[in-house]
């Protein structure tokens, strides 16, 4: 099942009778909201060293900027889904954009690292809440026949955050200082808030995922396998990619401009990987997932060897991006096939597990970087991806057997 099918299934109601152009403006507004969220979440990857230098902290400690949002998002996804069941979704999306703008402002003015971490706490709350509310809204914004296309537009924000948002933010940060990148994001977030106010219709909640549904899902073998493979592959990626900038600086000896080009290459390859996986995942989920893990393992294991030269690093980052582009689609699909009767609950569980593992990966990678080197963390990430391949292959049948309704 593709991401488009997933979100459409989460909310199959017809859109209200509104001019199509207004509905599409609302879709683009939601997409841009997710773009701002994704870019804000992972922007520190491109600016890790300058932020760390500003506050006088190590790269590993700076990596907590990735740990904290993921942890908070993991908690916020199910909590907000249940707690806001009676609140209009349009109102919630607008409030969340204002909270994200506040987080960007705190980053801009942060006099100390602890203030920066408060900013990242707010980012985490927005990630979990906005995703749990926003990804299924497309069918309510446009005519029914256009819902699939609208959902695809919304989900395109995820790879675009990597291919455009992070390289652009890194470029601005290298040109005018890392705080300038958060200024730009804050302004863009406020513009998205205005766009949502103008274009989105009232969106009263139509359904709610209760905690009992999530507990039932956790009791199934298929879901537990999905949690295991997601944990291992996201650990492999974010435990290493969080520290790719220090690696490129210290091992590849790339200058800031070239690092931006490396990140752009990674993001562009990620878009390609996302579309390839979307075409293959429904009929060959285990094979697609393990192939992605194998490519990721190859890239990270070879980086300390071939990544010492700039051409080698460029090629391996392209391979890595291609592999990781498939990971969110494969992971989400695994959960959805495990619980086809509860797609919203599956999406919440996917978001929580994914974001929690981002935190663990960034934290574990930071400990390794501070105690050894960025090359060591690359090797360990590759080994984690190999373990994930073994688990996925051993449990290949689990992805194809939906759990029964209890």
């Amino acid at each position: 099942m593709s991401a488009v099918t997933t979100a459409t299934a989460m909310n199959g109601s017809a859109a209200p009778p509104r001019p199509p152009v207004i509905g599409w403006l609302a879709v683009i507004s939601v997409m841009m909201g997710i773009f701002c969220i994704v870019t804000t979440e992972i922007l520190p990857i491109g600016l890790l060293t300058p932020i760390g230098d500003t506050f006088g902290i190590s790269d590993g400690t700076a990596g907590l900027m990735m740990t904290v949002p993921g942890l908070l998002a993991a908690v916020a996804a199910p909590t907000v889904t249940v707690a806001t069941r009676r609140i209009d979704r349009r109102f919630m999306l607008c409030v969340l954009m204002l909270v994200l703008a506040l987080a960007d402002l705190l980053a801009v003015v942060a006099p100390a690292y602890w203030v920066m971490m408060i900013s990242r706490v707010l980012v985490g709350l927005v990630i979990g809440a906005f995703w749990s509310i926003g990804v299924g809204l497309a069918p309510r914004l446009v005519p029914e026949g256009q819902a699939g296309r609208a959902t695809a537009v919304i989900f395109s924000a995820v790879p675009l955050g990597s291919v455009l948002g992070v390289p652009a933010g890194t470029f601005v940060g290298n040109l005018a200082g890392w705080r300038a990148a958060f200024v730009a994001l804050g302004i863009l977030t406020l513009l998205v808030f205005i766009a949502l106010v103008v274009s989105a219709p009232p969106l009263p909640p139509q359904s709610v995922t209760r905690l009992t549904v999530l507990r039932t899902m956790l009791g199934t073998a298929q879901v537990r396998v999905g949690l295991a493979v997601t944990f291992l592959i996201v650990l492999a990626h974010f435990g290493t990619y969080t520290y790719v900038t220090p690696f490129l600086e210290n091992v590849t000896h790339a200058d800031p401009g070239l690092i931006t080009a490396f990140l752009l290459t990674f993001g562009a390859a990620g878009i390609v990987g996302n579309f390839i996986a979307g075409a293959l995942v429904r009929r060959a989920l285990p094979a697609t997932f393990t192939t992605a893990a194998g490519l990721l393992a190859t890239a990270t294991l070879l980086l300390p060897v071939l990544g010492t030269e700039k051409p080698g690093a460029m090629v391996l980052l392209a391979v890595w991006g291609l592999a990781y582009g498939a990971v969110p689609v494969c992971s989400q699909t695994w959960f959805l096939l495990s619980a086809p009767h509860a797609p919203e609950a599956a999406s919440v569980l996917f978001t929580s597990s994914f974001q929690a593992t981002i935190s663990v990966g960034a934290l574990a990678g930071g400990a390794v970087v501070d105690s050894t080197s960025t090359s060591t963390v690359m090797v360990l990430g590759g080994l984690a991806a190999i373990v994930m391949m073994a688990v996925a292959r051993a449990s290949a049948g689990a992805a194809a057997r939906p759990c029964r309704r209890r």
Side-chain angles (χ1 to χ4, degrees):
M1 184 180 295
S2 66
V4 173
T5 307
T6 298
T8 303
M10 287 172 59
N11 195 329
S13 63
R18 305 170 70 229
V21 66
I22 301 298
W24 276 101
L25 285 175
V27 168
I28 293 172
S29 298
V30 175
M31 183 271 285
M32 288 303 300
I34 294 176
F35 175 84
C36 290
I37 291 169
V38 170
T39 303
T40 303
E41 179 183 16
I42 63 179
L43 181 59
I45 291 175
L47 299 172
L48 201 68
T49 299
I51 293 175
D53 290 343
T54 297
F55 298 118
I57 57 178
S58 67
D59 288 335
T61 302
L64 290 172
M65 289 184 291
M66 292 295 297
T67 300
V68 170
L71 181 62
L72 267 294
V75 176
T79 302
V80 173
T81 302
V82 174
T84 64
R85 58 187 178 273
R86 294 186 178 89
I87 300 178
D88 185 276
R89 277 10 192 173
R90 173 177 178 263
F91 175 79
M92 287 297 301
L93 296 181
C94 291
V95 168
L96 291 168
M97 284 295 98
L98 290 178
V99 174
L100 186 63
L102 174 61
D104 291 328
L105 175 63
L106 283 177
V108 172
V109 302
Y113 189 53
W114 67 267
V115 179
M116 189 68 179
M117 294 309 295
I118 292 177
S119 166
R120 302 304 289 173
V121 167
L122 296 178
V123 171
L125 292 174
V126 173
I127 294 168
F130 201 101
W131 268 104
S132 65
I133 293 171
V135 295
L137 291 179
R140 301 179 65 182
L141 300 175
V142 297
E144 186 174 358
Q146 302 175 7
R149 199 184 326 152
T151 304
V153 170
I154 289 177
F155 271 87
S156 70
V158 179
L160 285 176
S162 295
V163 73
L164 293 179
V166 174
T170 303
F171 175 78
V172 171
N174 291 331
L175 190 67
W178 64 266
R179 295 182 194 270
F182 286 96
V183 170
L185 270 174
I187 294 173
L188 181 60
T189 300
L190 289 175
L191 291 176
V192 172
F193 163 76
I194 295 171
L196 284 169
V197 170
V198 171
S199 64
L203 295 166
Q206 294 183 327
S207 62
V208 64
T209 297
R210 300 187 180 278
L211 293 178
T212 53
V213 178
L214 297 175
R215 285 197 294 268
T216 298
M217 288 180 61
L218 289 172
T220 65
Q222 301 96 312
V223 170
R224 290 196 295 269
V225 172
L227 290 172
V229 295
T230 296
F231 172 80
L232 288 167
I233 195 63
V234 178
L235 177 70
H237 174 71
F238 279 98
T240 51
Y241 190 65
T242 301
Y243 306 98
V244 71
T245 295
F247 177 89
L248 293 172
E249 290 173 340
N250 301 325
V251 179
T252 311
H253 303 295
D255 58 45
L258 188 56
I259 289 174
T260 300
F262 280 137
L263 296 178
L264 184 62
T265 299
F266 177 92
I271 291 178
V272 176
N274 181 72
F275 281 106
I276 292 175
L280 298 175
V281 70
R282 188 169 186 178
R283 61 177 182 269
L285 172 57
T288 304
F289 214 170
T290 54
T291 299
L295 290 174
L296 194 154
T298 299
T300 53
L301 288 171
L302 289 179
L303 263 173
V305 180
L306 303 180
T308 56
E309 300 295 332
K310 296 176 179 62
M314 181 70 79
V315 170
L316 289 174
L317 279 171
V319 173
W320 190 350
L322 185 71
Y324 181 69
V327 167
V329 176
C330 291
S331 176
Q332 184 185 41
T333 301
W334 194 298
F335 285 111
L336 286 163
L337 293 180
S338 298
H341 59 278
E344 183 179 85
S347 182
V348 169
L349 195 57
F350 159 76
T351 301
S352 293
S353 61
F354 208 93
Q355 292 294 331
T357 312
I358 289 176
S359 297
V360 174
L363 185 62
V368 172
V369 167
D370 282 350
S371 60
T372 57
S373 67
T374 53
S375 293
T376 302
V377 84
M378 296 295 167
V379 172
L380 292 176
L383 295 176
I386 290 173
V387 174
M388 177 270 174
M389 293 174 64
V391 173
R393 286 174 176 170
S395 309
R401 295 191 302 269
C403 67
R404 298 177 180 176
R405 187 191 300 266
R406 293 186 180 183

